[in-house]
């Protein structure tokens, strides 16, 4: 059952072209994003240890994202691409988090909903990368990743609905989705997931 919503804007062909023109740099950024996604799932466990209903799924998500990192790292090794010396801050994610409420309950909701939107954006972009790649193992890898990330978009909305009213949850999801579109469209083009 689909719980996430459609993104408010689509990624541009210019973004796809930028990625394809420097795929090794994209792989480096992609590896960093998977590490951060795993850490983000586990940070929910650390910050909300009393939310027992969602901890098992958060742990599973964290492990899955770490497995994605391992897969990307293996691809990088095959291509002779090294991990960047620093992960650096993701301006896209930072700008989204800047729009979160500051009180504990509403911030919890916002963080879950932003996680859903970020996963949906990742799924959309992995689909575009998959479609742009020539036939081969890399194309297959991004096809499988696209399906996995799309599932994660639903997981975080499902978690939010355990604790928050459906109408309120989707109203806030729409608001954050509109903000995400503006943030994304203002970012400079680079061979990176965001």
């Amino acid at each position: 059952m689909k719980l996430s919503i459609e993104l408010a804007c689509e990624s541009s062909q210019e973004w796809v072209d930028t990625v394809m023109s420097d795929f090794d740099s994209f792989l480096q950024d992609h590896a960093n994003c998977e590490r951060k996604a795993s850490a983000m799932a586990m940070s929910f466990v650390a910050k909300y240890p009393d939310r027992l209903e969602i901890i098992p799924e958060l742990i599973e998500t964290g492990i899955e994202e770490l497995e994605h990192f391992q897969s990307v790292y293996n691809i990088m090794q095959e291509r002779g691409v090294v991990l960047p010396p620093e992960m650096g801050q993701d301006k896209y994610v930072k700008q989204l988090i800047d729009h979160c409420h500051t009180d504990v309950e509403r911030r919890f909701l916002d963080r879950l909903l932003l996680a859903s939107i970020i996963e949906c954006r990742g799924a959309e972009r992995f689909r575009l990368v998959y479609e742009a790649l020539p036939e081969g193992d890399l194309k297959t890898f991004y096809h499988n990743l696209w399906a996995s990330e799309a599932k994660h978009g639903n997981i975080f909305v499902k978690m939010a609905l355990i604790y928050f009213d459906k109408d309120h949850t989707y109203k806030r999801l729409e608001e954050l989705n509109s903000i995400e579109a503006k943030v994304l469209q203002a970012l400079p083009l680079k061979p990176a997931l965001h």
Side-chain angles (χ1 to χ4, degrees):
M1 183 172 143
K2 183 171 165 57
L3 297 170
S4 60
I5 60 173
E6 296 303 317
L7 294 165
C9 75
E10 294 181 4
S11 295
S12 67
Q13 183 59 46
E14 290 78 16
W15 175 81
V16 177
D17 296 342
T18 302
V19 167
M20 290 300 133
S21 70
D22 188 358
F23 204 78
D24 287 350
S25 292
F26 174 73
L27 284 171
Q28 289 178 315
D29 179 76
H30 179 186
N32 284 344
C33 287
E34 296 294 359
R35 285 194 282 179
K36 290 174 185 175
S38 178
M40 182 270 304
M42 294 311 297
S43 77
F44 274 111
V45 176
K47 288 177 185 166
Y48 307 103
D50 57 327
R51 307 286 185 163
L52 302 180
E53 301 84 355
I54 63 174
I55 288 177
E57 199 154 32
L58 285 166
I59 293 169
E60 283 177 31
T61 302
I63 291 168
E64 191 173 337
E65 298 287 16
L66 199 54
E67 288 170 347
H68 293 169
F69 165 68
Q70 184 176 37
S71 298
V72 177
Y73 181 70
N74 290 341
I75 291 166
M76 290 169 65
Q77 282 191 306
E78 289 168 14
R79 295 169 67 103
V81 179
V82 297
L83 286 170
E86 293 179 14
M87 277 207 277
Q89 189 177 57
D90 188 324
K91 291 180 182 173
Y92 164 81
V93 172
K94 178 172 183 336
Q95 287 180 51
L96 291 178
I97 290 173
D98 286 347
H99 286 89
C100 285
H101 289 106
T102 54
D103 59 284
V104 174
E105 276 301 291
R106 290 192 302 165
R107 188 171 185 82
F108 175 56
L109 174 62
D110 285 355
R111 292 300 300 268
L112 287 171
L113 299 181
L114 284 178
S116 171
I117 292 167
I118 292 166
E119 293 290 337
C120 289
R121 180 61 66 192
E124 181 234 16
R125 289 194 155 184
F126 290 143
R127 176 183 56 80
L128 292 171
V129 168
Y130 150 72
E131 290 171 350
L133 285 166
E135 290 300 326
D137 291 345
L138 208 52
K139 187 178 186 79
T140 302
F141 171 70
Y142 278 97
H143 180 266
N144 293 337
L145 205 56
W146 159 34
S148 176
E149 297 295 324
K151 178 186 75 176
H152 290 170
N154 290 321
I155 285 170
F156 288 103
V157 176
K158 183 175 84 176
M159 290 178 186
L161 291 171
I162 292 170
Y163 303 104
F164 300 96
D165 171 75
K166 182 179 177 183
D167 290 341
H168 174 69
T169 298
Y170 279 101
K171 180 175 184 287
R172 184 61 177 155
L173 186 56
E174 291 284 357
E175 290 168 2
L176 291 170
N177 198 31
S178 296
I179 289 167
E180 188 270 351
K182 291 178 186 139
V183 167
L184 187 84
Q185 291 170 329
L187 292 173
L189 286 173
K190 59 183 183 175
L193 192 57
H194 309 128

